[in-house]
PDB file of all heavy atoms in Angstrom:
ATOM      1  N   HIS A   1      -5.482  21.869   4.415  1.00 87.00           N
ATOM      2  CA  HIS A   1      -4.632  21.203   5.391  1.00 87.00           C
ATOM      3  C   HIS A   1      -3.490  22.144   5.800  1.00 87.00           C
ATOM      4  O   HIS A   1      -2.669  22.359   4.822  1.00 87.00           O
ATOM      5  CB  HIS A   1      -4.172  19.836   5.107  1.00 87.00           C
ATOM      6  CG  HIS A   1      -3.335  19.209   6.141  1.00 87.00           C
ATOM      7  ND1 HIS A   1      -3.803  18.784   7.282  1.00 87.00           N
ATOM      8  CD2 HIS A   1      -1.913  18.982   6.175  1.00 87.00           C
ATOM      9  CE1 HIS A   1      -2.758  18.199   8.003  1.00 87.00           C
ATOM     10  NE2 HIS A   1      -1.750  18.374   7.373  1.00 87.00           N
ATOM     11  N   ALA A   2      -3.348  22.560   6.943  1.00 84.00           N
ATOM     12  CA  ALA A   2      -2.323  23.490   7.330  1.00 84.00           C
ATOM     13  C   ALA A   2      -1.220  22.901   8.072  1.00 84.00           C
ATOM     14  O   ALA A   2      -0.153  23.624   8.598  1.00 84.00           O
ATOM     15  CB  ALA A   2      -2.914  24.715   8.158  1.00 84.00           C
ATOM     16  N   GLY A   3      -1.359  21.549   8.422  1.00 84.00           N
ATOM     17  CA  GLY A   3      -0.389  20.877   9.195  1.00 84.00           C
ATOM     18  C   GLY A   3       0.888  20.347   8.559  1.00 84.00           C
ATOM     19  O   GLY A   3       1.018  20.702   7.268  1.00 84.00           O
ATOM     20  N   ARG A   4       1.574  19.552   8.917  1.00 87.00           N
ATOM     21  CA  ARG A   4       2.802  19.016   8.432  1.00 87.00           C
ATOM     22  C   ARG A   4       2.434  17.809   7.611  1.00 87.00           C
ATOM     23  O   ARG A   4       1.408  17.162   7.859  1.00 87.00           O
ATOM     24  CB  ARG A   4       3.763  18.558   9.550  1.00 87.00           C
ATOM     25  CG  ARG A   4       4.328  19.712  10.428  1.00 87.00           C
ATOM     26  CD  ARG A   4       4.887  19.150  11.656  1.00 87.00           C
ATOM     27  NE  ARG A   4       6.273  18.670  11.450  1.00 87.00           N
ATOM     28  CZ  ARG A   4       7.320  19.462  11.416  1.00 87.00           C
ATOM     29  NH1 ARG A   4       7.379  20.686  11.784  1.00 87.00           N
ATOM     30  NH2 ARG A   4       8.526  18.832  11.246  1.00 87.00           N
ATOM     31  N   LEU A   5       3.170  17.451   6.551  1.00 87.00           N
ATOM     32  CA  LEU A   5       2.962  16.363   5.766  1.00 87.00           C
ATOM     33  C   LEU A   5       2.989  15.066   6.458  1.00 87.00           C
ATOM     34  O   LEU A   5       2.056  14.167   6.263  1.00 87.00           O
ATOM     35  CB  LEU A   5       3.960  16.380   4.630  1.00 87.00           C
ATOM     36  CG  LEU A   5       3.885  15.218   3.578  1.00 87.00           C
ATOM     37  CD1 LEU A   5       4.415  15.611   2.239  1.00 87.00           C
ATOM     38  CD2 LEU A   5       4.640  13.853   4.017  1.00 87.00           C
ATOM     39  N   SER A   6       3.751  14.863   7.423  1.00 86.00           N
ATOM     40  CA  SER A   6       3.922  13.739   8.112  1.00 86.00           C
ATOM     41  C   SER A   6       2.665  13.270   9.015  1.00 86.00           C
ATOM     42  O   SER A   6       2.447  12.239   9.510  1.00 86.00           O
ATOM     43  CB  SER A   6       5.210  13.682   9.172  1.00 86.00           C
ATOM     44  OG  SER A   6       5.069  14.889   9.954  1.00 86.00           O
ATOM     45  N   GLU A   7       1.843  14.389   9.273  1.00 86.00           N
ATOM     46  CA  GLU A   7       0.564  14.244  10.158  1.00 86.00           C
ATOM     47  C   GLU A   7      -0.407  13.382   9.275  1.00 86.00           C
ATOM     48  O   GLU A   7      -1.249  12.621   9.881  1.00 86.00           O
ATOM     49  CB  GLU A   7       0.016  15.443  10.417  1.00 86.00           C
ATOM     50  CG  GLU A   7       0.773  16.343  11.450  1.00 86.00           C
ATOM     51  CD  GLU A   7       0.282  17.770  11.792  1.00 86.00           C
ATOM     52  OE1 GLU A   7      -0.846  17.961  11.186  1.00 86.00           O
ATOM     53  OE2 GLU A   7       0.888  18.460  12.369  1.00 86.00           O
ATOM     54  N   VAL A   8      -0.334  13.382   7.909  1.00 88.00           N
ATOM     55  CA  VAL A   8      -1.280  12.821   7.042  1.00 88.00           C
ATOM     56  C   VAL A   8      -0.586  11.520   6.444  1.00 88.00           C
ATOM     57  O   VAL A   8      -1.202  10.462   6.341  1.00 88.00           O
ATOM     58  CB  VAL A   8      -1.895  13.655   6.046  1.00 88.00           C
ATOM     59  CG1 VAL A   8      -2.884  12.938   5.137  1.00 88.00           C
ATOM     60  CG2 VAL A   8      -2.423  14.874   6.630  1.00 88.00           C
ATOM     61  N   PHE A   9       0.765  11.672   6.087  1.00 88.00           N
ATOM     62  CA  PHE A   9       1.478  10.633   5.449  1.00 88.00           C
ATOM     63  C   PHE A   9       2.681  10.285   6.165  1.00 88.00           C
ATOM     64  O   PHE A   9       3.829  11.012   5.907  1.00 88.00           O
ATOM     65  CB  PHE A   9       1.857  11.050   3.907  1.00 88.00           C
ATOM     66  CG  PHE A   9       0.613  10.914   3.109  1.00 88.00           C
ATOM     67  CD1 PHE A   9      -0.161  12.169   2.818  1.00 88.00           C
ATOM     68  CD2 PHE A   9       0.219   9.874   2.504  1.00 88.00           C
ATOM     69  CE1 PHE A   9      -1.235  12.191   1.964  1.00 88.00           C
ATOM     70  CE2 PHE A   9      -0.862   9.875   1.580  1.00 88.00           C
ATOM     71  CZ  PHE A   9      -1.640  11.011   1.409  1.00 88.00           C
ATOM     72  N   PRO A  10       2.741   9.609   7.169  1.00 86.00           N
ATOM     73  CA  PRO A  10       3.886   9.141   7.845  1.00 86.00           C
ATOM     74  C   PRO A  10       4.873   8.404   6.968  1.00 86.00           C
ATOM     75  O   PRO A  10       4.511   8.134   5.937  1.00 86.00           O
ATOM     76  CB  PRO A  10       3.495   8.323   9.049  1.00 86.00           C
ATOM     77  CG  PRO A  10       2.102   7.840   8.621  1.00 86.00           C
ATOM     78  CD  PRO A  10       1.457   8.852   7.680  1.00 86.00           C
ATOM     79  N   SER A  11       6.025   7.967   7.437  1.00 84.00           N
ATOM     80  CA  SER A  11       7.049   7.344   6.689  1.00 84.00           C
ATOM     81  C   SER A  11       6.614   6.112   6.048  1.00 84.00           C
ATOM     82  O   SER A  11       6.943   5.809   4.903  1.00 84.00           O
ATOM     83  CB  SER A  11       8.281   7.185   7.507  1.00 84.00           C
ATOM     84  OG  SER A  11       8.032   6.224   8.516  1.00 84.00           O
ATOM     85  N   ASP A  12       5.811   5.275   6.697  1.00 85.00           N
ATOM     86  CA  ASP A  12       5.307   3.957   6.000  1.00 85.00           C
ATOM     87  C   ASP A  12       4.316   4.294   4.904  1.00 85.00           C
ATOM     88  O   ASP A  12       4.283   3.562   4.001  1.00 85.00           O
ATOM     89  CB  ASP A  12       4.676   3.087   7.011  1.00 85.00           C
ATOM     90  CG  ASP A  12       3.495   3.740   7.801  1.00 85.00           C
ATOM     91  OD1 ASP A  12       3.276   4.995   7.827  1.00 85.00           O
ATOM     92  OD2 ASP A  12       2.604   2.940   8.255  1.00 85.00           O
ATOM     93  N   ALA A  13       3.559   5.379   5.087  1.00 85.00           N
ATOM     94  CA  ALA A  13       2.683   5.782   3.917  1.00 85.00           C
ATOM     95  C   ALA A  13       3.373   6.296   2.760  1.00 85.00           C
ATOM     96  O   ALA A  13       3.178   6.078   1.598  1.00 85.00           O
ATOM     97  CB  ALA A  13       1.627   6.817   4.423  1.00 85.00           C
ATOM     98  N   LEU A  14       4.537   7.062   3.000  1.00 83.00           N
ATOM     99  CA  LEU A  14       5.427   7.501   2.086  1.00 83.00           C
ATOM    100  C   LEU A  14       6.077   6.356   1.276  1.00 83.00           C
ATOM    101  O   LEU A  14       6.319   6.472   0.056  1.00 83.00           O
ATOM    102  CB  LEU A  14       6.362   8.569   2.510  1.00 83.00           C
ATOM    103  CG  LEU A  14       5.879   9.933   2.954  1.00 83.00           C
ATOM    104  CD1 LEU A  14       6.918  10.754   3.644  1.00 83.00           C
ATOM    105  CD2 LEU A  14       5.297  10.576   1.749  1.00 83.00           C
ATOM    106  N   LYS A  15       6.408   5.297   2.015  1.00 82.00           N
ATOM    107  CA  LYS A  15       6.970   4.193   1.388  1.00 82.00           C
ATOM    108  C   LYS A  15       6.039   3.610   0.332  1.00 82.00           C
ATOM    109  O   LYS A  15       6.605   3.212  -0.703  1.00 82.00           O
ATOM    110  CB  LYS A  15       7.350   3.104   2.454  1.00 82.00           C
ATOM    111  CG  LYS A  15       8.063   1.897   1.928  1.00 82.00           C
ATOM    112  CD  LYS A  15       8.295   0.916   3.119  1.00 82.00           C
ATOM    113  CE  LYS A  15       8.715  -0.338   2.516  1.00 82.00           C
ATOM    114  NZ  LYS A  15       9.171  -1.363   3.679  1.00 82.00           N
ATOM    115  N   ARG A  16       4.802   3.459   0.745  1.00 86.00           N
ATOM    116  CA  ARG A  16       3.824   2.864  -0.180  1.00 86.00           C
ATOM    117  C   ARG A  16       3.684   3.838  -1.344  1.00 86.00           C
ATOM    118  O   ARG A  16       3.612   3.207  -2.605  1.00 86.00           O
ATOM    119  CB  ARG A  16       2.488   2.654   0.483  1.00 86.00           C
ATOM    120  CG  ARG A  16       2.530   1.505   1.595  1.00 86.00           C
ATOM    121  CD  ARG A  16       1.142   1.094   1.999  1.00 86.00           C
ATOM    122  NE  ARG A  16       0.464   2.227   2.552  1.00 86.00           N
ATOM    123  CZ  ARG A  16       0.492   2.333   3.920  1.00 86.00           C
ATOM    124  NH1 ARG A  16       1.256   1.552   4.660  1.00 86.00           N
ATOM    125  NH2 ARG A  16      -0.166   3.337   4.499  1.00 86.00           N
ATOM    126  N   LEU A  17       3.672   5.036  -1.246  1.00 89.00           N
ATOM    127  CA  LEU A  17       3.600   6.008  -2.323  1.00 89.00           C
ATOM    128  C   LEU A  17       4.797   5.926  -3.329  1.00 89.00           C
ATOM    129  O   LEU A  17       4.680   5.814  -4.488  1.00 89.00           O
ATOM    130  CB  LEU A  17       3.478   7.492  -1.879  1.00 89.00           C
ATOM    131  CG  LEU A  17       2.251   7.837  -1.011  1.00 89.00           C
ATOM    132  CD1 LEU A  17       2.354   9.357  -0.710  1.00 89.00           C
ATOM    133  CD2 LEU A  17       0.935   7.454  -1.755  1.00 89.00           C
ATOM    134  N   ALA A  18       6.011   5.719  -2.688  1.00 84.00           N
ATOM    135  CA  ALA A  18       7.148   5.533  -3.489  1.00 84.00           C
ATOM    136  C   ALA A  18       7.231   4.337  -4.368  1.00 84.00           C
ATOM    137  O   ALA A  18       7.876   4.255  -5.528  1.00 84.00           O
ATOM    138  CB  ALA A  18       8.316   5.600  -2.578  1.00 84.00           C
ATOM    139  N   ALA A  19       6.502   3.130  -3.853  1.00 83.00           N
ATOM    140  CA  ALA A  19       6.654   1.859  -4.513  1.00 83.00           C
ATOM    141  C   ALA A  19       5.457   1.731  -5.481  1.00 83.00           C
ATOM    142  O   ALA A  19       5.565   0.749  -6.284  1.00 83.00           O
ATOM    143  CB  ALA A  19       6.700   0.792  -3.450  1.00 83.00           C
ATOM    144  N   HIS A  20       4.398   2.598  -5.504  1.00 86.00           N
ATOM    145  CA  HIS A  20       3.303   2.373  -6.325  1.00 86.00           C
ATOM    146  C   HIS A  20       3.561   2.764  -7.706  1.00 86.00           C
ATOM    147  O   HIS A  20       4.313   3.555  -8.038  1.00 86.00           O
ATOM    148  CB  HIS A  20       2.118   3.285  -5.736  1.00 86.00           C
ATOM    149  CG  HIS A  20       0.822   2.991  -6.451  1.00 86.00           C
ATOM    150  ND1 HIS A  20       0.174   1.687  -6.532  1.00 86.00           N
ATOM    151  CD2 HIS A  20      -0.035   3.775  -7.035  1.00 86.00           C
ATOM    152  CE1 HIS A  20      -0.876   1.858  -7.086  1.00 86.00           C
ATOM    153  NE2 HIS A  20      -1.108   3.036  -7.450  1.00 86.00           N
ATOM    154  N   ALA A  21       2.893   1.992  -8.629  1.00 83.00           N
ATOM    155  CA  ALA A  21       3.172   2.262 -10.080  1.00 83.00           C
ATOM    156  C   ALA A  21       2.454   3.467 -10.691  1.00 83.00           C
ATOM    157  O   ALA A  21       2.759   3.828 -11.801  1.00 83.00           O
ATOM    158  CB  ALA A  21       2.778   0.950 -10.892  1.00 83.00           C
ATOM    159  N   TRP A  22       1.499   3.957  -9.991  1.00 87.00           N
ATOM    160  CA  TRP A  22       0.777   5.056 -10.436  1.00 87.00           C
ATOM    161  C   TRP A  22       0.173   5.050 -11.980  1.00 87.00           C
ATOM    162  O   TRP A  22       0.586   5.866 -12.728  1.00 87.00           O
ATOM    163  CB  TRP A  22       1.545   6.323 -10.285  1.00 87.00           C
ATOM    164  CG  TRP A  22       1.937   6.623  -8.826  1.00 87.00           C
ATOM    165  CD1 TRP A  22       3.249   6.471  -8.313  1.00 87.00           C
ATOM    166  CD2 TRP A  22       0.975   6.897  -7.744  1.00 87.00           C
ATOM    167  NE1 TRP A  22       3.048   6.676  -6.896  1.00 87.00           N
ATOM    168  CE2 TRP A  22       1.769   6.905  -6.568  1.00 87.00           C
ATOM    169  CE3 TRP A  22      -0.401   7.170  -7.616  1.00 87.00           C
ATOM    170  CZ2 TRP A  22       1.158   7.308  -5.389  1.00 87.00           C
ATOM    171  CZ3 TRP A  22      -0.905   7.429  -6.508  1.00 87.00           C
ATOM    172  CH2 TRP A  22      -0.170   7.491  -5.360  1.00 87.00           C
ATOM    173  N   PRO A  23      -0.482   4.155 -12.235  1.00 82.00           N
ATOM    174  CA  PRO A  23      -1.043   3.992 -13.598  1.00 82.00           C
ATOM    175  C   PRO A  23      -1.958   5.200 -13.884  1.00 82.00           C
ATOM    176  O   PRO A  23      -2.229   5.501 -15.097  1.00 82.00           O
ATOM    177  CB  PRO A  23      -1.944   2.644 -13.680  1.00 82.00           C
ATOM    178  CG  PRO A  23      -2.187   2.432 -12.143  1.00 82.00           C
ATOM    179  CD  PRO A  23      -1.179   2.957 -11.312  1.00 82.00           C
ATOM    180  N   GLY A  24      -2.547   5.906 -12.912  1.00 84.00           N
ATOM    181  CA  GLY A  24      -3.456   7.031 -13.130  1.00 84.00           C
ATOM    182  C   GLY A  24      -2.666   8.341 -13.007  1.00 84.00           C
ATOM    183  O   GLY A  24      -3.275   9.412 -13.066  1.00 84.00           O
ATOM    184  N   ASN A  25      -1.387   8.271 -12.732  1.00 91.00           N
ATOM    185  CA  ASN A  25      -0.404   9.298 -12.711  1.00 91.00           C
ATOM    186  C   ASN A  25      -0.914  10.349 -11.617  1.00 91.00           C
ATOM    187  O   ASN A  25      -1.266   9.963 -10.539  1.00 91.00           O
ATOM    188  CB  ASN A  25      -0.316   9.947 -14.118  1.00 91.00           C
ATOM    189  CG  ASN A  25       0.455   9.070 -15.059  1.00 91.00           C
ATOM    190  OD1 ASN A  25       1.583   8.734 -14.854  1.00 91.00           O
ATOM    191  ND2 ASN A  25      -0.331   8.567 -16.062  1.00 91.00           N
ATOM    192  N   VAL A  26      -0.617  11.686 -11.945  1.00 92.00           N
ATOM    193  CA  VAL A  26      -0.857  12.705 -10.930  1.00 92.00           C
ATOM    194  C   VAL A  26      -2.375  12.852 -10.434  1.00 92.00           C
ATOM    195  O   VAL A  26      -2.690  13.012  -9.285  1.00 92.00           O
ATOM    196  CB  VAL A  26      -0.392  14.060 -11.389  1.00 92.00           C
ATOM    197  CG1 VAL A  26      -0.628  15.205 -10.295  1.00 92.00           C
ATOM    198  CG2 VAL A  26       1.178  14.054 -11.659  1.00 92.00           C
ATOM    199  N   ARG A  27      -3.264  12.581 -11.396  1.00 89.00           N
ATOM    200  CA  ARG A  27      -4.628  12.554 -11.107  1.00 89.00           C
ATOM    201  C   ARG A  27      -4.946  11.594 -10.062  1.00 89.00           C
ATOM    202  O   ARG A  27      -5.716  11.725  -9.136  1.00 89.00           O
ATOM    203  CB  ARG A  27      -5.477  12.373 -12.347  1.00 89.00           C
ATOM    204  CG  ARG A  27      -7.023  12.456 -12.065  1.00 89.00           C
ATOM    205  CD  ARG A  27      -7.798  12.051 -13.352  1.00 89.00           C
ATOM    206  NE  ARG A  27      -7.556  12.959 -14.437  1.00 89.00           N
ATOM    207  CZ  ARG A  27      -7.228  12.573 -15.645  1.00 89.00           C
ATOM    208  NH1 ARG A  27      -6.960  11.373 -15.906  1.00 89.00           N
ATOM    209  NH2 ARG A  27      -7.044  13.537 -16.580  1.00 89.00           N
ATOM    210  N   GLU A  28      -4.417  10.246 -10.281  1.00 88.00           N
ATOM    211  CA  GLU A  28      -4.519   9.234  -9.163  1.00 88.00           C
ATOM    212  C   GLU A  28      -3.986   9.625  -7.822  1.00 88.00           C
ATOM    213  O   GLU A  28      -4.558   9.400  -6.794  1.00 88.00           O
ATOM    214  CB  GLU A  28      -3.916   7.909  -9.734  1.00 88.00           C
ATOM    215  CG  GLU A  28      -4.027   6.775  -8.686  1.00 88.00           C
ATOM    216  CD  GLU A  28      -3.338   5.583  -9.146  1.00 88.00           C
ATOM    217  OE1 GLU A  28      -2.655   5.541 -10.140  1.00 88.00           O
ATOM    218  OE2 GLU A  28      -3.446   4.564  -8.395  1.00 88.00           O
ATOM    219  N   LEU A  29      -2.845  10.297  -7.845  1.00 91.00           N
ATOM    220  CA  LEU A  29      -2.129  10.674  -6.630  1.00 91.00           C
ATOM    221  C   LEU A  29      -2.930  11.768  -5.889  1.00 91.00           C
ATOM    222  O   LEU A  29      -3.139  11.655  -4.679  1.00 91.00           O
ATOM    223  CB  LEU A  29      -0.685  11.349  -6.974  1.00 91.00           C
ATOM    224  CG  LEU A  29      -0.035  11.906  -5.662  1.00 91.00           C
ATOM    225  CD1 LEU A  29       0.257  10.870  -4.630  1.00 91.00           C
ATOM    226  CD2 LEU A  29       1.264  12.566  -6.137  1.00 91.00           C
ATOM    227  N   ARG A  30      -3.609  12.673  -6.672  1.00 89.00           N
ATOM    228  CA  ARG A  30      -4.429  13.784  -5.960  1.00 89.00           C
ATOM    229  C   ARG A  30      -5.661  13.050  -5.378  1.00 89.00           C
ATOM    230  O   ARG A  30      -6.011  13.396  -4.290  1.00 89.00           O
ATOM    231  CB  ARG A  30      -4.891  14.664  -7.143  1.00 89.00           C
ATOM    232  CG  ARG A  30      -5.756  15.865  -6.586  1.00 89.00           C
ATOM    233  CD  ARG A  30      -6.144  16.817  -7.729  1.00 89.00           C
ATOM    234  NE  ARG A  30      -6.799  17.971  -7.274  1.00 89.00           N
ATOM    235  CZ  ARG A  30      -8.181  17.994  -7.025  1.00 89.00           C
ATOM    236  NH1 ARG A  30      -8.939  16.917  -7.374  1.00 89.00           N
ATOM    237  NH2 ARG A  30      -8.702  19.060  -6.609  1.00 89.00           N
ATOM    238  N   ASN A  31      -6.239  12.061  -6.033  1.00 86.00           N
ATOM    239  CA  ASN A  31      -7.467  11.395  -5.518  1.00 86.00           C
ATOM    240  C   ASN A  31      -7.068  10.591  -4.184  1.00 86.00           C
ATOM    241  O   ASN A  31      -7.812  10.625  -3.208  1.00 86.00           O
ATOM    242  CB  ASN A  31      -8.005  10.413  -6.487  1.00 86.00           C
ATOM    243  CG  ASN A  31      -8.693  11.097  -7.632  1.00 86.00           C
ATOM    244  OD1 ASN A  31      -9.058  12.355  -7.481  1.00 86.00           O
ATOM    245  ND2 ASN A  31      -8.940  10.474  -8.764  1.00 86.00           N
ATOM    246  N   VAL A  32      -5.826   9.996  -4.143  1.00 87.00           N
ATOM    247  CA  VAL A  32      -5.360   9.309  -2.972  1.00 87.00           C
ATOM    248  C   VAL A  32      -5.215  10.310  -1.898  1.00 87.00           C
ATOM    249  O   VAL A  32      -5.591  10.029  -0.666  1.00 87.00           O
ATOM    250  CB  VAL A  32      -4.047   8.562  -3.230  1.00 87.00           C
ATOM    251  CG1 VAL A  32      -3.410   8.174  -2.071  1.00 87.00           C
ATOM    252  CG2 VAL A  32      -4.316   7.396  -4.185  1.00 87.00           C
ATOM    253  N   VAL A  33      -4.658  11.450  -2.145  1.00 89.00           N
ATOM    254  CA  VAL A  33      -4.377  12.477  -1.090  1.00 89.00           C
ATOM    255  C   VAL A  33      -5.708  12.977  -0.508  1.00 89.00           C
ATOM    256  O   VAL A  33      -5.907  13.024   0.685  1.00 89.00           O
ATOM    257  CB  VAL A  33      -3.544  13.605  -1.698  1.00 89.00           C
ATOM    258  CG1 VAL A  33      -3.440  14.775  -0.613  1.00 89.00           C
ATOM    259  CG2 VAL A  33      -2.127  13.209  -1.952  1.00 89.00           C
ATOM    260  N   LEU A  34      -6.560  13.310  -1.385  1.00 86.00           N
ATOM    261  CA  LEU A  34      -7.872  13.763  -0.861  1.00 86.00           C
ATOM    262  C   LEU A  34      -8.644  12.675  -0.137  1.00 86.00           C
ATOM    263  O   LEU A  34      -9.301  13.077   0.797  1.00 86.00           O
ATOM    264  CB  LEU A  34      -8.719  14.413  -2.125  1.00 86.00           C
ATOM    265  CG  LEU A  34      -8.123  15.484  -2.826  1.00 86.00           C
ATOM    266  CD1 LEU A  34      -9.076  15.970  -3.960  1.00 86.00           C
ATOM    267  CD2 LEU A  34      -7.736  16.652  -1.939  1.00 86.00           C
ATOM    268  N   GLY A  35      -8.491  11.485  -0.600  1.00 84.00           N
ATOM    269  CA  GLY A  35      -9.270  10.411   0.085  1.00 84.00           C
ATOM    270  C   GLY A  35      -8.638  10.071   1.376  1.00 84.00           C
ATOM    271  O   GLY A  35      -9.414   9.890   2.393  1.00 84.00           O
ATOM    272  N   THR A  36      -7.389  10.185   1.440  1.00 83.00           N
ATOM    273  CA  THR A  36      -6.657  10.040   2.746  1.00 83.00           C
ATOM    274  C   THR A  36      -6.992  11.071   3.762  1.00 83.00           C
ATOM    275  O   THR A  36      -7.327  10.772   4.972  1.00 83.00           O
ATOM    276  CB  THR A  36      -5.112   9.963   2.603  1.00 83.00           C
ATOM    277  OG1 THR A  36      -4.851   8.893   1.736  1.00 83.00           O
ATOM    278  CG2 THR A  36      -4.487   9.793   3.906  1.00 83.00           C
TER     279      THR A  36
END
């Protein structure tokens, strides 16, 4: 992806990322990003 972060994760999506507990840690975050 060569675009801006906000094109894939706007502010409301970043809010959800900030509030999530991340039980799977960075591996879970990577899967969320690739899935999105």
Side-chain angles (χ1 to χ4, degrees):
H1 177 72
R4 301 163 75 92
L5 180 148
S6 56
E7 294 173 3
V8 184
F9 288 93
S11 59
D12 60 335
L14 288 174
K15 177 182 177 181
R16 289 194 295 272
L17 296 184
H20 189 54
W22 299 111
N25 291 294
V26 178
R27 184 185 296 123
E28 180 187 359
L29 175 63
R30 183 176 184 274
N31 290 340
V32 166
V33 172
L34 297 182
T36 299

